[in-house]
């Protein structure tokens, strides 16, 4: 019966929603396979744009049906077969990718264990070092030098202060080698004080640095409050950070408007007189969704090469949404609405590309998938409010969508403030990264300089003593 068919439609629409939900998650995961951050952003943006470009499939299927006079069921069956082949290829790709990722993780874990073992052996060598045994070994070397000198010169070897100084210098060098600053938790500074009697002294001062010379993960701001990068926090704190909460609110509002426009396009254009043109403008609205492919290079330029960055991309979403809303509200001319169709296509391109490619920027790799899932779930749940707006436009205002479109256009105004707030959070993260990079470079330079200085300080007495001998 007709009622049973309607229930099947509900099931089909629900499955289609799950398909879109999974597609958005896989676009992010596919982007994360890339090596560099720029490649990740470009792949995520490209895949989101190709989703809109898929609207051309409708015209291809319609062309095939009309040219071959094939039944609708046959055309859909062929299309379903192509979809199965596509999904099968994707499954093989991910199987190989996951295998390679697991192999890389095992290699990294093996290297980490080797590094830890080497560090433990060096620490054990430092603990097992005994100065008395070192003095005995060095004394034996001195006796050997004494015997060879007496045999070659035929004169008795006279011990002087040089032997004591040489012994002291060799001992300091042994201690220095065992306590290599690159494997220690302290940076040692040495200074030499040379005089006429070749007396050398070493002054050691310890300064704590990060464990195993790791990159710092936080910095102290002017207010003396330590700021920890979002990606270095626990998954729960990452997903409850101000940055992610603001992004979720922004995406929920924007996607709610996007869903309403897509769902009510036919009824809204019918209220403007599209029925008189055999639904030509509905077809144009669907076809022009693929125009967003043209906007992809603009998006990449904004977030990568310009000074605007992601803050500018978020504000561009607001501007495009407001422009489209103003076109919807200001005129009933269908030809002018075509301009709005193009603007809406760019709006969708920027919305999905910006929000999903922004996740890997501040979230850790293991948390990005959860973040994308939360974004989709929250937006889907909030989109249920569109049912009230649809009822308002169809039942209350008799197929007049001016008031619902006005409400959703006004919802863009708080999004401007949210985007500005996210921009402040982005600046805070960038400041932290800049400070950490500077600290890391300074620490590396200091460690290298002090190591070289220490080695030269320890080797100089040995060279002087050998020369005197």
């Amino acid at each position: 019966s007709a009622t049973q068919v309607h229930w099947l439609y509900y099931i089909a629409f629900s499955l289609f929603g799950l398909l879109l939900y999974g597609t958005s998650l896989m676009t992010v995961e596919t982007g994360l396979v890339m090596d560099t951050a720029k490649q990740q952003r470009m792949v995520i943006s490209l895949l989101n744009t190709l989703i809109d470009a898929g609207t051309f499939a409708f015209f291809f299927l319609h062309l095939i049906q009309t040219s071959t006079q094939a039944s609708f069921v046959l055309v859909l069956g062929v299309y379903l077969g192509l979809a199965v082949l596509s999904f099968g290829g994707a499954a093989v790709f991910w199987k190989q990718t996951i295998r390679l990722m697991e192999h890389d993780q095992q290699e990294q874990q093996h290297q980490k264990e080797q590094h830890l073992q080497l560090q433990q052996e060096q620490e054990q060598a430092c603990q097992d070092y005994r100065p008395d045994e070192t003095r005995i070994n060095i004394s034996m070397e001195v006796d050997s030098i004494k015997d060879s000198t007496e045999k070659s010169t035929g004169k008795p070897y006279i011990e002087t202060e040089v032997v004591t100084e040489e012994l002291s210098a060799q001992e300091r060098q042994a201690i220095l080698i065992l306590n290599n600053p690159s494997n220690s938790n302290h940076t040692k500074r040495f200074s030499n004080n040379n005089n006429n009697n070749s007396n050398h002294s070493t002054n050691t001062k310890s300064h704590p640095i990060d464990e195993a010379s790791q990159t710092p993960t936080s910095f102290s701001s002017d207010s003396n409050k330590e700021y920890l990068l979002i990606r270095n926090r626990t998954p729960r704190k990452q997903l409850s950070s101000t940055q992610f909460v603001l992004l979720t609110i922004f995406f929920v509002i924007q996607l709610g408007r996007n869903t309403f426009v897509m769902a009510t396009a036919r009824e809204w254009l019918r209220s403007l007189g599209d029925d008189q043109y055999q639904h030509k403008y509905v077809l144009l609205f669907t076809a022009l969704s693929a125009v967003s492919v043209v906007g992809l290079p603009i998006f990449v330029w904004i977030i990568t090469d310009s000074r605007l960055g992601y803050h500018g991309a978020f504000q561009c979403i607001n501007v495009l949404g407001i422009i489209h809303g103003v076109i919807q509200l200001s005129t009933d001319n269908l030809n002018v609405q075509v301009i709005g169709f193009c603007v809406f296509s760019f709006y969708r391109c920027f919305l999905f590309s910006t929000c999903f490619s922004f996740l890997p920027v501040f979230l850790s790799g293991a948390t990005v998938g959860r973040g994308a899932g939360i974004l989709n779930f929250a937006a889907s749940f909030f989109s249920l409010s569109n049912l009230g707006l649809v009822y308002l436009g169809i039942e209350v205002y008799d197929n007049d969508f001016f008031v619902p479109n006005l409400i959703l256009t006004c919802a863009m105004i708080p999004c401007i403030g949210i985007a500005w707030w996210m921009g402040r959070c982005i600046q805070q993260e960038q400041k932290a990264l800049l400070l950490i990079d500077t600290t890391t470079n300074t620490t590396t330079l200091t460690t290298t300089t002090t190591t070289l200085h220490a080695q030269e300080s320890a080797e100089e007495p040995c060279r002087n003593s050998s020369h005197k001998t």
Side-chain angles (χ1 to χ4, degrees):
S1 64
T3 304
Q4 293 176 341
V5 172
H6 289 166
W7 279 111
L8 289 177
Y9 284 155
Y10 284 116
I11 296 175
F13 293 155
S14 300
L15 293 176
F16 183 71
L18 291 176
L19 176 64
L20 292 178
Y21 180 82
T23 301
S24 62
L25 293 181
M26 294 310 298
T27 55
V28 177
E29 294 297 331
T30 304
L32 293 178
V33 175
M34 301 296 106
D35 294 329
T36 64
K38 185 176 181 179
Q39 291 175 347
Q40 293 176 358
R41 291 193 293 264
M42 292 187 65
V43 169
I44 294 174
S45 303
L46 178 61
L47 293 177
N48 279 288
T49 304
L50 290 178
I51 294 175
D52 291 335
T55 55
F56 277 120
F58 166 77
F59 295 99
F60 289 131
L61 294 176
H62 181 71
L63 179 62
I64 292 173
Q65 184 182 14
T66 54
S67 61
T68 61
Q69 299 299 320
S71 64
F72 182 73
V73 176
L74 179 60
V75 173
L76 285 183
V78 174
Y79 187 69
L80 180 61
L82 294 175
V84 171
L85 291 177
S86 177
F87 294 153
V92 173
F93 164 79
W94 276 107
K95 184 178 180 180
Q96 296 294 332
T97 302
I98 291 174
R99 183 181 301 173
L100 292 175
M101 293 174 65
E102 290 177 350
H103 181 266
D104 292 341
Q105 290 177 355
Q106 292 176 357
E107 288 292 331
Q108 293 176 0
Q109 182 66 23
H110 181 65
Q111 292 177 0
K112 184 178 180 180
E113 291 176 355
Q114 285 184 334
H115 176 73
L116 182 61
Q117 182 179 2
L118 179 61
Q119 185 177 1
Q120 291 176 350
E121 291 176 355
Q122 292 174 342
E123 291 177 354
Q124 185 65 34
C126 294
Q127 295 176 0
D128 295 341
Y129 169 72
R130 294 181 176 85
D132 293 339
E133 295 180 1
T134 305
R135 288 178 179 271
I136 293 172
N137 294 332
I138 297 177
S139 298
M140 293 175 63
E141 294 180 2
V142 172
D143 293 337
S144 177
I145 295 173
K146 177 180 177 180
D147 294 338
S148 61
T149 303
E150 290 178 348
K151 291 181 181 180
S152 61
T153 60
K155 298 179 181 180
Y157 180 81
I158 302 175
E159 295 187 5
T160 61
E161 295 293 332
V162 177
V163 176
T164 305
E165 291 173 4
E166 181 179 4
L167 182 62
S168 177
Q170 292 283 359
E171 182 179 349
R172 287 200 302 272
Q173 186 180 19
I175 295 173
L176 176 64
I177 293 174
L178 290 175
N179 295 277
N180 192 339
S182 62
N183 297 316
S184 175
N185 294 334
H186 301 280
T187 302
K188 299 181 181 298
R189 296 182 178 178
F190 296 87
S191 61
N192 290 333
N193 183 17
N194 298 327
N195 52 28
N196 295 330
N197 296 324
S198 300
N199 293 324
H200 301 272
S201 61
T202 303
N203 180 25
T204 304
K205 186 176 181 180
S206 299
H207 297 275
I209 59 174
D210 198 7
E211 284 287 334
S213 301
Q214 295 291 329
T215 302
T217 58
S218 63
F219 79 100
S220 298
S221 61
D222 296 336
S223 58
N224 294 326
K225 295 181 180 180
E226 285 195 356
Y227 178 82
L228 183 65
L229 290 174
I230 296 177
R231 64 172 58 253
N232 295 324
R233 304 174 191 176
T234 61
R236 174 177 293 184
K237 290 186 177 180
Q238 290 183 49
L239 299 176
S240 61
S241 62
T242 304
Q243 183 75 284
F244 184 78
V245 171
L246 291 174
L247 177 63
T248 303
I249 297 173
F250 182 89
F251 184 73
V252 161
I253 297 175
Q254 300 288 356
L255 188 65
R257 181 180 183 277
N258 168 79
T259 305
F260 181 82
V261 172
M262 296 287 292
T264 61
R266 185 181 182 88
E267 295 297 327
W268 170 64
L269 291 173
R270 177 184 295 174
S271 68
L272 299 182
D274 187 36
D275 289 347
Q276 303 175 11
Y277 304 96
Q278 290 76 41
H279 310 292
K280 179 180 70 174
Y281 290 94
V282 172
L283 296 177
L284 281 174
F285 176 80
T286 305
L288 290 176
S289 297
V291 176
S292 59
V293 177
V294 181
L296 181 60
I298 302 175
F299 165 76
V300 174
W301 176 80
I302 289 176
I303 65 172
T304 305
D305 300 326
S306 71
R307 295 183 179 180
L308 300 176
Y310 274 99
H311 176 227
F314 286 121
Q315 295 295 6
C316 284
I317 295 173
N318 294 325
V319 171
L320 292 171
I322 292 174
I323 292 175
H324 176 250
V326 169
I327 294 176
Q328 280 185 311
L329 298 172
S330 60
T331 180
D332 294 338
N333 190 326
L334 288 171
N335 292 324
V336 177
Q337 295 299 333
V338 174
I339 302 175
F341 299 163
C342 297
V343 175
F344 182 73
S345 178
F346 285 106
Y347 166 79
R348 283 173 51 84
C349 171
F350 273 66
L351 173 60
F352 290 101
S353 299
T354 302
C355 292
F356 285 109
S357 66
F358 183 57
L359 289 174
V361 173
F362 69 97
L363 294 180
S364 62
T367 315
V368 170
R370 303 180 194 177
I374 292 175
L375 285 183
N376 282 282
F377 176 79
S380 302
F381 186 79
F382 181 79
S383 295
L384 294 175
S385 62
N386 287 333
L387 296 175
L389 294 176
V390 171
Y391 178 83
L392 186 67
I394 295 177
E395 300 294 337
V396 177
Y397 291 100
D398 193 19
N399 292 322
D400 186 357
F401 290 90
F402 179 85
V403 174
N405 287 331
L406 177 63
I407 293 174
L408 292 174
T409 302
C410 292
M412 299 291 100
I413 298 176
C415 287
I416 297 175
I418 294 174
W420 174 84
W421 197 349
M422 282 194 290
R424 296 292 300 272
C425 295
I426 293 172
Q427 289 179 354
Q428 191 175 23
E429 286 277 305
Q430 290 176 344
K431 181 180 178 182
L433 287 172
L434 181 62
L435 249 134
I436 288 173
D437 290 341
T438 305
T439 305
T440 303
N441 294 334
T442 304
T443 303
T444 304
L445 180 61
T446 303
T447 304
T448 305
T449 305
T450 52
T451 302
L452 294 175
H453 189 191
Q455 292 176 350
E456 292 176 356
S457 301
E459 292 173 358
E460 184 65 24
C462 301
R463 288 195 295 266
N464 293 337
S465 300
S466 177
H467 177 71
K468 290 183 180 181
T469 303

Coordinates of all heavy atoms in Angstrom, one line a residue, residues 103-129:
H103 N 52.7 -1.5 10.4 CA 54.2 -1.8 10.3 C 55.0 -0.6 10.7 O 56.0 -0.8 11.4 CB 54.5 -2.2 8.8 CG 55.9 -2.6 8.6 ND1 56.8 -1.6 8.2 CD2 56.6 -3.7 8.8 CE1 58.0 -2.2 8.1 NE2 57.9 -3.5 8.4
D104 N 54.6 0.6 10.3 CA 55.3 1.8 10.7 C 55.3 2.0 12.2 O 56.3 2.4 12.8 CB 54.7 3.0 10.0 CG 55.0 2.9 8.5 OD1 55.9 2.2 8.0 OD2 54.3 3.6 7.7
Q105 N 54.2 1.7 12.8 CA 54.1 1.8 14.3 C 55.0 0.9 15.0 O 55.6 1.2 16.0 CB 52.6 1.6 14.7 CG 51.7 2.8 14.3 CD 50.2 2.5 14.7 OE1 49.9 1.4 15.2 NE2 49.3 3.4 14.4
Q106 N 55.1 -0.4 14.5 CA 56.0 -1.3 15.1 C 57.4 -0.9 14.9 O 58.2 -1.1 15.9 CB 55.8 -2.7 14.4 CG 54.4 -3.3 14.7 CD 54.2 -4.6 14.0 OE1 55.0 -5.1 13.2 NE2 53.1 -5.3 14.2
E107 N 57.8 -0.3 13.8 CA 59.2 0.1 13.6 C 59.5 1.3 14.5 O 60.6 1.3 15.1 CB 59.3 0.6 12.1 CG 59.4 -0.5 11.1 CD 60.7 -1.3 11.2 OE1 61.7 -0.8 11.7 OE2 60.6 -2.5 10.9
Q108 N 58.5 2.2 14.7 CA 58.7 3.3 15.6 C 58.9 2.8 17.0 O 59.7 3.3 17.8 CB 57.6 4.3 15.5 CG 57.5 5.0 14.1 CD 56.3 5.9 14.0 OE1 55.5 6.0 14.9 NE2 56.2 6.6 12.9
Q109 N 58.0 1.8 17.4 CA 58.1 1.3 18.8 C 59.5 0.6 19.0 O 60.1 0.7 20.0 CB 57.0 0.3 19.0 CG 56.9 -0.3 20.4 CD 56.6 0.8 21.4 OE1 56.0 1.8 21.2 NE2 57.0 0.5 22.7
H110 N 59.9 -0.1 17.9 CA 61.2 -0.8 18.1 C 62.4 0.2 18.2 O 63.3 0.0 19.0 CB 61.5 -1.7 16.8 CG 62.8 -2.4 16.8 ND1 63.0 -3.4 17.8 CD2 63.9 -2.3 16.0 CE1 64.2 -3.9 17.5 NE2 64.8 -3.3 16.5
Q111 N 62.3 1.3 17.4 CA 63.4 2.3 17.6 C 63.3 3.0 18.9 O 64.4 3.3 19.5 CB 63.2 3.3 16.4 CG 63.5 2.8 15.1 CD 63.2 3.8 14.0 OE1 62.8 5.0 14.3 NE2 63.4 3.4 12.7
K112 N 62.1 3.2 19.4 CA 62.0 3.8 20.7 C 62.5 2.9 21.8 O 63.2 3.3 22.8 CB 60.5 4.1 21.0 CG 60.2 4.8 22.3 CD 58.7 5.1 22.5 CE 58.5 5.8 23.8 NZ 57.0 6.1 23.9
E113 N 62.3 1.6 21.7 CA 62.8 0.6 22.7 C 64.4 0.6 22.6 O 65.0 0.5 23.7 CB 62.2 -0.8 22.5 CG 60.8 -0.8 22.8 CD 60.2 -2.2 22.4 OE1 60.9 -3.0 21.8 OE2 59.0 -2.4 22.7
Q114 N 64.9 0.6 21.4 CA 66.4 0.6 21.3 C 67.0 1.9 21.9 O 68.0 1.8 22.6 CB 66.7 0.5 19.8 CG 66.6 -0.8 19.2 CD 67.0 -0.9 17.7 OE1 67.1 0.1 17.0 NE2 67.4 -2.1 17.3
H115 N 66.3 3.0 21.6 CA 66.8 4.3 22.2 C 66.8 4.2 23.7 O 67.7 4.6 24.4 CB 66.0 5.4 21.7 CG 66.4 6.7 22.3 ND1 67.5 7.4 22.0 CD2 65.7 7.5 23.3 CE1 67.6 8.6 22.7 NE2 66.5 8.6 23.5
L116 N 65.7 3.7 24.3 CA 65.6 3.5 25.7 C 66.6 2.6 26.3 O 67.2 2.9 27.4 CB 64.1 3.1 26.1 CG 63.8 3.0 27.6 CD1 63.9 4.3 28.3 CD2 62.4 2.4 27.8
Q117 N 66.8 1.5 25.6 CA 67.8 0.5 26.1 C 69.2 1.2 26.1 O 70.0 1.0 27.0 CB 67.8 -0.7 25.2 CG 68.8 -1.8 25.7 CD 68.7 -3.0 24.8 OE1 68.0 -3.1 23.8 NE2 69.5 -4.0 25.1
L118 N 69.6 1.9 25.0 CA 70.9 2.6 24.9 C 71.0 3.6 26.1 O 72.1 3.7 26.7 CB 71.0 3.2 23.6 CG 72.3 4.0 23.4 CD1 73.5 3.1 23.5 CD2 72.3 4.7 22.0
Q119 N 70.0 4.3 26.4 CA 70.0 5.3 27.4 C 70.2 4.6 28.8 O 71.0 5.1 29.6 CB 68.7 6.1 27.4 CG 68.7 7.3 28.4 CD 67.5 8.1 28.3 OE1 66.6 7.8 27.5 NE2 67.4 9.1 29.1
Q120 N 69.5 3.5 29.0 CA 69.7 2.8 30.3 C 71.1 2.2 30.4 O 71.7 2.2 31.5 CB 68.7 1.6 30.3 CG 67.2 2.1 30.5 CD 66.3 1.0 30.4 OE1 66.6 -0.2 30.1 NE2 65.0 1.2 30.8
E121 N 71.7 1.7 29.3 CA 73.1 1.2 29.4 C 74.0 2.4 29.7 O 75.0 2.2 30.5 CB 73.4 0.6 28.0 CG 72.7 -0.7 27.7 CD 73.0 -1.2 26.4 OE1 73.7 -0.6 25.6 OE2 72.6 -2.4 26.0
Q122 N 73.8 3.5 29.1 CA 74.7 4.6 29.4 C 74.6 5.1 30.9 O 75.6 5.4 31.5 CB 74.4 5.8 28.5 CG 74.8 5.5 27.0 CD 74.4 6.6 26.1 OE1 73.5 7.4 26.4 NE2 75.0 6.6 24.9
E123 N 73.3 5.1 31.4 CA 73.1 5.5 32.8 C 73.8 4.4 33.7 O 74.3 4.8 34.7 CB 71.6 5.6 33.1 CG 71.0 6.8 32.4 CD 69.5 6.8 32.6 OE1 69.0 5.9 33.3 OE2 68.8 7.8 32.2
Q124 N 73.7 3.1 33.3 CA 74.3 2.1 34.1 C 75.8 2.3 34.1 O 76.5 2.0 35.1 CB 73.9 0.7 33.6 CG 74.4 -0.4 34.4 CD 73.8 -0.4 35.8 OE1 72.6 -0.1 36.0 NE2 74.6 -0.9 36.8
A125 N 76.4 2.6 32.9 CA 77.8 2.9 32.8 C 78.3 4.0 33.8 O 79.3 3.9 34.4 CB 78.2 3.2 31.4
C126 N 77.5 5.0 33.9 CA 77.8 6.1 34.8 C 77.8 5.7 36.2 O 78.6 6.1 37.0 CB 76.8 7.3 34.6 SG 76.9 8.1 32.9
Q127 N 76.8 4.8 36.6 CA 76.7 4.3 37.9 C 77.9 3.3 38.3 O 78.3 3.3 39.4 CB 75.4 3.6 38.1 CG 74.2 4.5 38.0 CD 72.8 3.8 38.1 OE1 72.8 2.5 38.3 NE2 71.7 4.5 38.0
D128 N 78.3 2.6 37.3 CA 79.4 1.6 37.5 C 80.8 2.2 37.5 O 81.7 1.5 37.8 CB 79.3 0.5 36.5 CG 78.0 -0.3 36.6 OD1 77.4 -0.3 37.7 OD2 77.6 -1.0 35.6
Y129 N 80.9 3.5 37.1 CA 82.2 4.1 37.0 C 82.8 4.3 38.4 O 82.2 4.7 39.4 CB 82.0 5.5 36.4 CG 83.3 6.3 36.4 CD1 84.4 6.0 35.7 CD2 83.3 7.4 37.3 CE1 85.6 6.7 35.8 CE2 84.5 8.2 37.4 CZ 85.6 7.8 36.7 OH 86.7 8.6 36.8

